[in-house]
């Protein structure tokens, strides 16, 4: 209806007769039908786009959930394997440390029971974290 008024104004400004095609009832009905079809087509297109967006969002969400489940399963599998292989790692380390252990003099002479315990020097706290060795005078 607004479009018809604009057409009339334009014709009036141009000085032409004010008769437009929509004044004929058959052509008016045809114009209304065309406009109605355009509106419904636009509405359907918007609805379809909205549905596509919703389905795309749901798809992305599902993919993310699957990815998180797979990540969780991989972590769980790694932890399980790590726990199962612990004893093997410990045994390997113990056999390595026994193989590299140097025999002491007491072991050679059979004095294994009478071993002297070496006392470790107590470390003194140093605020700088590193204490240089004490200076010794030269001997000549």
């Amino acid at each position: 209806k607004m479009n018809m008024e604009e057409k009339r104004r334009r014709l009036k400004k141009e000085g032409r007769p004010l008769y437009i095609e929509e004044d004929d009832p058959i052509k008016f009905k045809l114009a209304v039908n065309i406009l109605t079809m355009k509106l419904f087509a636009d509405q359907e297109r918007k609805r379809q786009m909205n549905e596509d967006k919703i389905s795309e969002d749901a798809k992305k969400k599902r993919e993310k959930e699957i990815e998180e489940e797979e990540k969780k399963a991989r972590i769980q599998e790694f932890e399980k394997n790590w726990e199962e292989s612990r004893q093997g790692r410990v045994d390997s380390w113990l056999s390595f440390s026994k193989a590299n252990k140097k025999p002491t003099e007491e072991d050679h002479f059979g004095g294994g029971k009478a071993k002297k315990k070496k006392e470790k020097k107590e470390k003194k706290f140093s605020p700088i974290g590193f204490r240089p060795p004490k200076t010794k005078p030269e001997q000549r």
Side-chain angles (χ1 to χ4, degrees):
K1 188 143 188 159
M2 188 66 169
N3 195 14
M4 291 171 50
E5 291 175 3
E6 288 175 12
K7 284 183 181 179
R8 283 198 176 100
R9 282 189 210 138
R10 197 168 8 115
L11 289 173
K12 191 175 183 181
K13 281 183 182 178
E14 293 174 0
R16 292 184 181 172
L18 297 179
Y19 178 76
I20 55 176
E21 292 180 357
E22 285 83 2
D23 286 340
D24 184 17
I26 296 172
K27 294 199 177 194
F28 177 75
K29 192 172 184 179
L30 183 64
V32 168
N33 285 340
I34 290 172
L35 187 60
T36 305
M37 284 190 284
K38 283 182 182 178
L39 291 174
F40 277 123
D42 287 344
Q43 186 179 11
E44 178 65 20
R45 185 179 46 82
K46 287 180 183 178
R47 185 191 63 80
Q48 189 68 32
M49 287 174 57
N50 194 18
E51 284 181 5
D52 290 345
K53 182 180 176 186
I54 290 171
S55 65
E56 189 70 26
D57 290 345
K59 183 179 177 185
K60 285 181 182 179
K61 184 178 177 183
R62 181 64 185 146
E63 287 175 356
K64 189 175 181 181
E65 288 174 358
I66 290 172
E67 186 177 315
E68 287 177 5
E69 288 173 5
E70 289 175 351
K71 185 177 179 182
K72 217 182 260 187
R74 283 193 309 264
I75 291 171
Q76 194 173 18
E77 180 78 18
F78 175 79
E79 288 177 357
K80 179 184 168 197
N81 290 341
W82 184 257
E83 289 297 321
E84 288 176 354
S85 66
R86 174 179 285 162
Q87 192 59 42
R89 291 192 312 273
V90 170
D91 292 341
S92 174
W93 174 251
L94 290 176
S95 66
F96 173 76
S97 62
K98 284 181 184 178
N100 288 344
K101 186 177 180 184
K102 294 182 180 178
T104 60
E105 290 180 19
E106 295 171 353
D107 292 339
H108 286 296
F109 299 115
K113 292 183 180 178
K115 287 185 182 178
K116 293 181 181 178
K117 294 183 179 180
K118 295 182 181 178
E119 296 180 14
K120 292 185 178 179
K121 294 181 181 177
E122 293 183 23
K123 293 185 178 180
K124 296 179 183 175
F125 175 73
S126 174
I128 57 175
F130 166 72
R131 180 169 292 194
K134 294 180 181 176
T135 57
K136 296 181 183 177
E138 287 186 11
Q139 294 183 5
R140 294 186 181 196

